[in-house]
Amino acid sequence: MQKKFSCILMILLAAACLFVSCAQEGQQTPSEPQTEKQVAGTVTGGDPSLGDAVNLKDINVEQQGENTVITMYFLNGSRLSGVDESKLSAVPGYSVKLLSSPYRLQVDLSVGYWDYVENNETYDNSILYGLFSAIHSEGEKKLSVFFQLNNNAKAVLSEEDDKLVITLSPDEQGAREAYFVGLNAYEAYEQGLIPEDAGLTPTMCEGLTDVTLVSAPLRDETSAQKLAEEIDLKIASAVPAKKAYVFTMSTDGLPAYNKDADTESVKEEPVVLKDGMPAVLPVLVENGRYLCTTVQGNIIYARSYVPNSGEDTEQVLKERLWMIETNGKKTQFELPDFYGIEKAAVSADGRYIGILDSGIENKVLYVYDMQDNILHNLGEEGLGTITTSFAWDAERPVIYAMSGVGAAEGTSSLQLVKYDFSREGGERVEAIGGDMPGTDSKITLVNGSIYFADKTAGEIYAVDTAAEERRKVADGIDFAVSPDGNHIAAVVPVVEAEEEGSSVTFNITVTNLATGEKRDVFQGIGEGESPSIGFDAGSDILYFTTYSYEGVTEDYQVAIMEYTISSDELSLMEYSKTERIMPGVNVGEIYVINYYSQNEDSFYVTYVQTEK
């Protein structure tokens, strides 16, 4: 009987164990709360091995009594970027520290995406003014989130599965007046151009709309002036247009935005005059000249700089190539310096960047292979020692160029050639149209035809890339072809005989490439002008510039005109301080590029204008 009872007991225990096991499979046990960490100095944690697809999905701020609780949520992937999302069981690698005067909490994260939305309006009645982010250009995937505090605080953090929780509690501290050094170079900070030993960190300014760089509090004006001079020396080569300045404020305050300190004033420069009123345009590139946009939507631009006097290189103005990604990250290409980039364009597959550099003696066409990190000098690979222009094939990794070939020098040796990256080395260069001579002209490729101008003859030609046959399409010395390939606009010289010689003015015409119908759009552009000309991305509007229009002023010397093909209407768009304009990648969008000289520094700023 006892033996039978023992067997029954064993069966009941086994069944109980099985029940518990099944229950555990059907329901996850609550995770153990993570150990809290007091933020003193720099606190690190997280799992840096999660990879570069981690996404800072959301940031939640909640007031719990006098404490402010910040919860940062993470997952893998990003639907906004077209990458499937999945849960994480840990947070990515991070470091957290408190910054004082002004008070801030800095959280550095190893993430590849950041889909959270800044919503500073929700922080009322908390210790937060708001937050802003720094997207770092250099090194691994890194995002710094700065929480701007309106009071000194203590911080405690914990990791809870896929959440990083930070609790802030007020820590009153006496305020005092102190000296600081400021620098309006937040963009350069993101680009890694401000050395860490400069001791500058970003902060919101009064009004909470601008961000600047600020030093720690300094004991007196002499110390502050000395630090400002040291900072100017450290950044002289990388960001010469920026100058450090000294100011005073309370250690519990926010700095006033000093737009007059240096080139920050260009952001509020009224670069156009519209409907009789000076107008400020949004800045597309703060210190650079827009060149092109990649198939992914990234912006490529050129940035000017002068080498340090100690560098073993020519002390002349050079240019470097930079890219702004769609998430705002700015990256400098690891390429040699250029003298002056006339044109840059990306291949259809997004792998190659064509770069036409105007050197001291010639123009060299380079192609940078972003996949294999190789810079090709096409002049050294058989294309030609002088290249006037280039264009990419719409589908293949083939670049067409007007280039000098053979031993002859000068424009007499120019002809149309192509370089095919899909072929083996040594077999990539091929002339187009046999020995047909070329001209010193830009080229454009639209719908399988290459367009160029013979300035001596005053004629514009098209060459079919398949049949390699040349035909005249219009009169003119400069041109633009609509993106749909239906129309060509031309700058046509008009020579008028006078008693003491002759004078030359220019007309703008538009020709229908299918029917040959020509329309006179504008007459009487002055001698010596070089109008910018280009079609809108929608192909129906032609933009061009002229100094020869009623209403131009000493400050706004250029009229930007727009001609609508469908309605045959010409109108004044606005007056501008610069003739450097180009249509944007979107319909109704143009880029206005102005050149500034301030404090013995010269630089470009690219503005973007969108027609309402």
Side-chain angles (χ1 to χ4, degrees), residues 111-341:
V111 295
Y113 305 104
W114 35 92
D115 291 350
Y116 74 94
V117 177
E118 294 182 11
N119 189 5
N120 291 344
E121 291 80 8
T122 65
Y123 306 146
D124 294 342
N125 303 318
S126 75
I127 200 171
L128 299 182
Y129 279 129
L131 67 87
F132 63 94
S133 301
I135 305 169
H136 298 278
S137 299
E138 297 185 344
E140 299 179 356
K141 303 274 188 178
K142 181 181 175 183
L143 175 76
S144 293
V145 182
F146 291 87
F147 296 90
Q148 195 82 37
L149 312 182
N150 55 38
N151 206 334
N152 190 41
K154 294 179 180 178
V156 175
L157 61 86
S158 63
E159 302 171 29
E160 300 177 6
D161 294 329
D162 57 355
K163 300 184 288 292
L164 181 62
V165 181
I166 305 170
T167 301
L168 300 172
S169 56
D171 184 22
E172 295 293 340
Q173 194 175 75
R176 61 183 176 85
E177 283 290 312
Y179 285 89
F180 294 83
V181 175
L183 185 70
N184 294 334
Y186 180 53
E187 182 184 63
Y189 170 84
E190 289 186 299
Q191 293 170 326
L193 300 177
I194 307 299
E196 288 188 12
D197 62 3
L200 300 174
T201 53
T203 180
M204 283 180 167
C205 299
E206 290 179 352
L208 308 179
T209 57
D210 299 296
V211 177
T212 191
L213 303 183
V214 67
S215 70
L218 298 157
R219 63 180 180 272
D220 53 42
E221 185 175 8
T222 301
S223 301
Q225 291 289 359
K226 181 181 178 181
L227 178 59
E229 293 170 2
E230 292 173 352
I231 291 172
D232 285 343
L233 288 174
K234 289 177 179 179
I235 66 173
S237 174
V239 281
K242 301 295 184 180
K243 304 297 178 186
Y245 58 91
V246 174
F247 66 97
T248 60
M249 73 170 185
S250 174
T251 54
D252 63 351
L254 293 177
Y257 182 60
N258 190 347
K259 67 180 182 180
D260 299 321
D262 52 32
T263 58
E264 285 294 288
S265 59
V266 302
K267 292 182 178 179
E268 300 185 12
E269 176 79 12
V271 71
V272 297
L273 182 71
K274 193 172 184 67
D275 298 327
M277 297 294 294
V280 175
L281 300 179
V283 173
L284 181 72
V285 182
E286 179 181 333
N287 183 1
R289 181 167 49 86
Y290 171 88
L291 295 170
C292 63
T293 300
T294 71
V295 292
Q296 297 84 9
N298 301 327
I299 291 172
I300 295 178
Y301 67 98
R303 184 170 187 171
S304 304
Y305 89 107
V306 177
N308 284 326
S309 57
E311 293 185 44
D312 185 19
T313 184
E314 299 169 290
Q315 296 302 300
V316 297
L317 191 68
K318 299 285 188 70
E319 287 190 327
R320 290 174 175 165
L321 206 63
W322 282 79
M323 179 169 67
I324 305 176
E325 298 179 31
T326 54
N327 61 12
K329 180 178 179 180
K330 304 174 183 69
T331 306
Q332 178 182 306
F333 288 97
E334 295 300 323
L335 295 173
D337 299 338
F338 299 99
Y339 285 98
I341 302 174

Side-chain angles (χ1 to χ4, degrees), residues 335-408:
L335 295 173
D337 299 338
F338 299 99
Y339 285 98
I341 302 174
E342 285 197 7
K343 180 180 181 179
V346 182
S347 60
D349 59 4
R351 174 173 175 175
Y352 303 97
I353 304 176
I355 307 163
L356 183 60
D357 185 34
S358 181
I360 297 175
E361 296 181 353
N362 54 20
K363 296 181 183 180
V364 179
L365 178 58
Y366 297 94
V367 172
Y368 177 52
D369 184 340
M370 291 186 285
Q371 176 177 301
D372 293 339
N373 194 28
I374 298 174
L375 182 66
H376 298 269
N377 182 333
L378 298 195
E380 296 176 351
E381 298 187 19
L383 190 73
T385 56
I386 299 176
T387 298
T388 66
S389 187
F390 73 92
W392 285 102
D393 188 271
E395 299 177 353
R396 302 173 297 158
V398 174
I399 192 168
Y400 299 89
M402 185 71 77
S403 187
V405 295

Side-chain angles (χ1 to χ4, degrees), residues 269 271 273 547 549 551-558 575-578:
E269 176 79 12
V271 71
L273 182 71
Y547 291 83
Y549 193 79
V552 296
T553 67
E554 183 177 352
D555 291 331
Y556 300 93
Q557 301 180 6
V558 180
Y575 299 101
S576 170
K577 291 185 176 181
T578 172

